[in-house]
């Protein structure tokens, strides 16, 4: 159907009934805007949500600029997808996700229940491990095997044994090299 | 991989028998734990190399832990689409886990399939234990010991305040999801299913269809699961389910069935006998239609409406799975289009529905 005012396709249709008489208007988006009939353009749900998040509280405005040191995720990115980037995000965004968790978990704010048996579970320790692992990956990628071996030893000394093994690619090679060197 | 289905006669998985405690209403019980390895990013920020390392660590430690007599490890990136679909239909992996070519896997205890560990799904590890009927405590004891055994070998991401850390904050804390698969044809026929949905929603529980999130309640099969994982212990969540929520739903369903039999016996007899008649004589069957008919026959069996003429419950439960698209094609031994599947499905049902009676 053509627009009542121009040759464009009509996308906005208005029907009003006045004194028992039906009045129809068929307009393209441009003409509809001129007549004050249509909103500017289609706005995606995501855009609306982002707008909402950006504009709600001032603390949240700051929040969108908060970045996780562990993985580089920023808070807006999390709000967009609903998934966090790494364990450190929980400390990086602690202030922001606190209220969100409370709503999602019927007022629950702190963990009760099972805890891991091993001595682990200290947040600082796990963050340090994550940092060592990042450096280890970089060292392996750059073929700095001695540095990689040192990093691996450092992880070991923290009681982190989980990836000791033979078939773990570059990390394993780094370890084998360090043993050869010894 | 060894095939989960060796033919239409054997479905292997113990929990799929849908027998066991309160199995007139509760088909199966499931508990799952979400776990992530310390020191790695969550999957949204994990590189392919990270995923590969996580997969290696998980494989080595899960297989070393000897969690069952036999554990089958399936590298999903290498397995054919049909094989992955079979795993989805058996509830061993999620639909999301079946997609894509990133390094990921599932470990399954064989042949009972009670234990399954998805690796690199939304979290590094999703451990699940399934049981036939209402058996949540048993399922929890099992998964708890599996979790301990894995945790003695590797380090989970954990914080004293937030508990087990997960990619999605809705799972953080205990990481536990308790869910029960319910057969509610009575409430459906009585038009009271929305009451259950509303009541569940009021208690912060999720109600979903046969195949989880976003699936319809085909065959009057519903899954109810908890959504709160922070600030409540595993036992509290479990107790709520076992002592209050599920017994209530069981009571409602049984009451609805009794009322139907007292007030509208002929209607129920008509529906269930027609369903059995259709299954015994149909020449074309769609998957949803087959499931709906099998659901009615299951109801007829539970209400003793068939006298000596009815099929065995085991055959009905088996067919609920074997009529699913991937299982059907696996049983036939080749891929079929939708029209071919309808013919093959009807043939299979006619051949199998009275197997136990012969």
């Amino acid at each position: 159907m053509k627009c009542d005012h121009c040759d464009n396709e009509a996308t906005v249709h208005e029907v009003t009934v006045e004194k028992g008489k039906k009045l129809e208007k068929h307009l393209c988006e441009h003409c509809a805007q001129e007549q004050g009939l249509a909103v500017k353009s289609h706005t995606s749900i995501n855009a609306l949500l982002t707008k909402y998040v950006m504009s709600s509280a001032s603390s949240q405005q700051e929040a969108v600029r908060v970045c996780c040191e562990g993985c580089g995720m920023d808070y807006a990115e999390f709000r967009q997808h609903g998934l966090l980037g790494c364990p450190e995000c929980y400390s990086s965004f602690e202030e922001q996700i606190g209220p969100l968790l409370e709503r999602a978990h019927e007022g629950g704010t702190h963990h009760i229940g099972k805890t891991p048996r091993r001595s682990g579970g200290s947040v600082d320790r796990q963050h340090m491990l994550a940092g060592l692992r990042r450096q280890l990956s970089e060292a392996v990628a750059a073929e700095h095997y001695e540095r990689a071996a040192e990093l691996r030893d450092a992880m070991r000394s923290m009681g982190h044994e989980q990836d000791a093994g033979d078939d773990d690619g570059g990390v394993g090679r780094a370890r084998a090299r360090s043993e050869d060197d010894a | 991989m060894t095939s989960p289905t060796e033919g239409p006669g054997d479905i292997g998985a113990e929990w799929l028998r849908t027998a066991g405690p309160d199995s007139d209403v509760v088909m199966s019980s499931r508990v799952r734990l979400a776990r992530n390895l310390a020191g790695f990013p969550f999957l949204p920020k994990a590189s392919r190399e990270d995923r590969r390392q996580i997969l290696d660590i998980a494989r080595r430690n899960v297989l070393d832990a000897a969690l069952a007599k036999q554990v089958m490890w399936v590298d999903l990136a290498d397995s054919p689409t049909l094989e992955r679909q079979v795993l989805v239909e058996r509830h061993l992996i999620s639909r999301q886990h079946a997609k894509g070519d990133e390094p990921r896997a599932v470990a399954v205890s064989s042949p009972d399939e009670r234990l399954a560990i998805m690796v690199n799904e939304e979290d590094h590890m999703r451990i699940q234990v399934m049981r036939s009927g209402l058996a949540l405590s048993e399922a929890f004891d099992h998964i708890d010991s599996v979790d301990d055994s894995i945790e003695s070998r590797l380090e989970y991401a954990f914080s004293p305040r937030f508990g087990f850390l997960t990619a999605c904050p809705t799972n953080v804390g205990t990481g536990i999801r308790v869910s029960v698969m319910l057969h509610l044809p009575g409430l459906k026929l009585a038009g009271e299913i929305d009451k259950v949905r509303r009541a569940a929603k009021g208690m912060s529980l999720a109600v979903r269809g046969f195949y989880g999130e976003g699936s319809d309640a085909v065959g009057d099969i519903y899954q109810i699961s908890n959504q709160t994982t922070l600030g409540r212990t595993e036992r509290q969540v479990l107790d709520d389910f076992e002592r209050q929520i599920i017994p209530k739903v069981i009571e409602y369903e049984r009451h609805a069935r009794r009322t139907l039999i007292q007030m509208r016996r002929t209607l129920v007899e008509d529906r269930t006998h027609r369903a059995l008649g259709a299954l015994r004589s149909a020449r074309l069957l769609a998957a949803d239609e087959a499931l709906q008919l099998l659901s009615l026959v299951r109801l007829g069996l539970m209400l003793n409406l068939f006298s000596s003429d009815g099929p065995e419950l085991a055959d009905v439960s088996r067919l609920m799975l074997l009529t699913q698209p991937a299982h059907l094609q696996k049983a036939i031994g080749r891929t079929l289009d939708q029209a071919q599947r309808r013919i093959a499905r009807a043939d299979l049902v006619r051949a199998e529905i009275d197997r136990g009676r012969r």
Side-chain angles (χ1 to χ4, degrees):
Chain A
M1 183 182 281
K2 288 262 166 18
C3 172
D4 296 344
H5 294 270
C6 66
D7 272 351
N8 290 336
E9 191 66 17
T11 54
V12 180
H13 309 272
E14 190 196 50
V15 180
T16 46
V17 181
E18 253 176 58
K19 293 176 189 161
K21 250 183 139 180
K22 206 162 93 177
L23 293 170
E24 289 186 27
K25 274 186 191 170
H26 305 284
L27 302 166
C28 70
E29 199 168 304
H30 179 74
C31 296
Q33 263 181 49
E34 281 190 343
Q35 298 210 359
L37 269 184
V39 287
K40 257 197 222 143
S41 65
H42 175 74
T43 313
S44 74
I45 298 270
N46 262 344
L48 282 173
L49 273 177
T50 310
K51 207 171 141 196
Y52 170 76
V53 171
M54 304 281 282
S55 67
S56 45
S58 64
S59 68
Q60 287 199 341
Q61 273 185 17
E62 281 162 34
V64 294
R65 290 195 292 273
V66 176
C67 239
C68 173
E69 275 181 32
C71 64
M73 177 172 275
D74 71 36
Y75 189 66
E77 194 181 346
F78 159 65
R79 289 299 298 233
Q80 205 177 350
H81 302 290
L83 295 175
L84 292 163
C86 75
E88 279 182 72
C89 286
Y90 279 94
S91 352
S92 305
F93 306 134
E94 187 161 359
E95 221 177 284
Q96 291 80 28
I97 60 173
L100 200 137
L101 288 171
E102 214 175 318
R103 275 200 305 277
H105 296 282
E106 294 180 281
T109 54
H110 287 74
H111 173 61
I112 50 169
K114 192 170 182 174
T115 54
R117 280 191 195 168
R118 60 170 63 225
S119 58
S122 143
V123 179
D124 290 346
R125 190 178 153 285
Q126 293 202 348
H127 288 182
M128 210 186 287
L129 271 174
L132 286 171
R133 179 179 298 288
R134 275 197 298 280
Q135 292 175 45
L136 178 64
S137 299
E138 285 161 18
V140 171
E143 301 193 358
H144 294 153
Y145 293 126
E146 276 180 35
R147 171 74 181 136
E150 283 167 22
L151 289 163
R152 172 163 278 281
D153 286 346
M155 288 168 76
R156 280 253 175 82
S157 70
M158 291 173 71
H160 190 72
E161 300 274 352
Q162 67 190 21
D163 30 11
D166 301 318
D167 57 345
D168 50 356
V171 180
R173 280 202 305 282
R175 189 171 65 98
R177 177 69 171 266
S178 85
E179 279 163 5
D180 288 344
D181 289 346
Chain B
M1 86 185 250
T2 34
S3 166
T5 43
E6 295 304 342
D10 175 31
I11 57 162
E14 178 276 342
W15 66 267
L16 286 162
R17 288 184 300 118
T18 77
D22 296 308
S23 59
D24 56 329
V25 180
V26 182
M27 298 177 74
S28 60
S29 308
R30 181 176 80 112
V31 179
R32 78 105 165 102
L33 299 173
R35 297 288 187 257
N36 288 279
L37 303 184
F40 282 97
F42 294 142
L43 291 162
K45 284 282 185 190
S47 65
R48 204 174 166 86
E49 178 55 26
D50 287 332
R51 286 169 191 249
R52 209 187 55 74
Q53 282 190 33
I54 293 161
L55 196 71
D56 280 345
I57 293 168
R59 183 178 57 224
R60 201 166 41 242
N61 290 290
V62 163
L63 294 179
D64 278 357
L67 302 168
K69 257 190 194 159
Q70 202 188 340
V71 174
M72 150 176 111
W73 180 272
V74 186
D75 272 313
L76 294 166
D78 302 334
S79 54
T81 315
L82 184 65
E83 212 60 59
R84 285 185 243 162
Q85 257 345 95
V86 166
L87 294 168
V88 172
E89 289 175 2
R90 296 173 91 74
H91 292 89
L92 295 171
I93 62 171
S94 62
R95 285 186 288 197
Q96 180 193 337
H97 205 42
K99 289 178 202 153
D101 65 348
E102 293 287 350
R104 66 207 193 288
V106 64
V108 179
S109 70
S110 176
D112 63 28
E113 295 179 20
R114 281 175 163 181
L115 171 68
I117 302 170
M118 283 192 279
V119 181
N120 287 350
E121 201 237 24
E122 186 180 288
D123 292 299
H124 298 160
M125 288 202 263
R126 289 272 176 105
I127 311 168
Q128 76 161 20
V129 165
M130 307 269 285
R131 281 284 190 285
S132 226
L134 183 59
L136 286 171
S137 287
E138 243 182 82
F140 178 72
D141 290 345
H142 184 179
I143 205 167
D144 196 32
S145 75
V146 166
D147 186 46
D148 286 347
S149 177
I150 296 175
E151 199 260 319
S152 70
R153 284 153 207 279
L154 42 78
E155 185 167 347
Y156 288 146
F158 181 87
S159 106
R161 175 175 174 188
F162 294 120
F164 293 95
L165 303 176
T166 52
C168 184
T170 54
N171 296 314
V172 80
T174 53
I176 198 170
R177 184 79 76 235
V178 170
S179 77
V180 171
M181 186 124 56
L182 299 152
H183 186 219
L184 305 176
L187 287 167
K188 185 70 190 296
L189 274 174
E192 287 179 16
I193 207 77
D194 281 340
K195 273 190 208 163
V196 176
R197 278 184 186 273
R198 277 198 299 274
K201 222 177 156 192
M203 289 186 284
S204 288
L205 303 170
V207 182
R208 306 191 172 106
F210 192 32
Y211 281 105
E213 219 154 323
S215 69
D216 291 332
V218 181
D220 309 326
I221 298 167
Y222 296 82
Q223 286 185 63
I224 294 191
S225 52
N226 70 299
Q227 289 185 296
T228 304
T229 52
L230 189 66
R232 313 202 62 210
T233 66
E234 292 85 351
R235 289 283 176 196
Q236 284 173 329
V237 173
L238 217 62
D239 275 3
D240 270 4
F241 260 69
E242 252 184 341
R243 296 190 187 168
Q244 295 177 25
I245 299 160
I246 302 304
K248 266 263 146 56
V249 181
I250 294 175
E251 191 189 310
Y252 289 155
E253 171 64 20
R254 285 181 184 153
H255 180 258
R257 290 182 192 180
R258 274 198 306 273
T259 310
L260 279 169
I261 283 298
Q262 280 164 14
M263 317 289 285
R264 300 156 81 186
R265 187 180 179 98
T266 313
L267 175 92
V268 183
E269 281 184 343
D270 181 68
R271 290 278 180 87
T272 52
H273 278 83
R274 268 172 192 269
L276 183 56
L279 289 169
R280 281 179 175 156
S281 45
R283 294 311 195 251
L284 292 172
L285 270 179
D288 284 1
E289 185 188 6
L291 194 56
Q292 187 57 51
L293 294 169
L294 289 163
S295 159
L296 283 165
V297 170
R298 191 178 198 273
L299 174 68
L301 285 172
M302 294 305 168
L303 296 173
N304 289 317
L305 297 179
F306 296 126
S307 60
S308 61
D309 186 40
E312 300 278 331
L313 176 63
D315 289 327
V316 174
S317 303
R318 207 157 43 84
L319 282 172
M320 282 183 164
L321 188 66
L322 293 180
T323 51
Q324 297 298 313
H327 275 79
L328 180 71
Q329 293 174 80
K330 206 167 155 68
I332 303 295
R334 63 194 168 90
T335 50
L336 306 168
D337 64 29
Q338 202 176 36
Q340 293 170 321
R341 286 205 296 273
R342 288 181 180 207
I343 301 172
R345 187 176 289 116
D347 289 347
L348 177 77
V349 169
R350 288 201 315 280
E352 295 290 321
I353 185 91
D354 292 312
R355 182 188 167 101
R357 296 176 70 226
R358 289 195 283 265

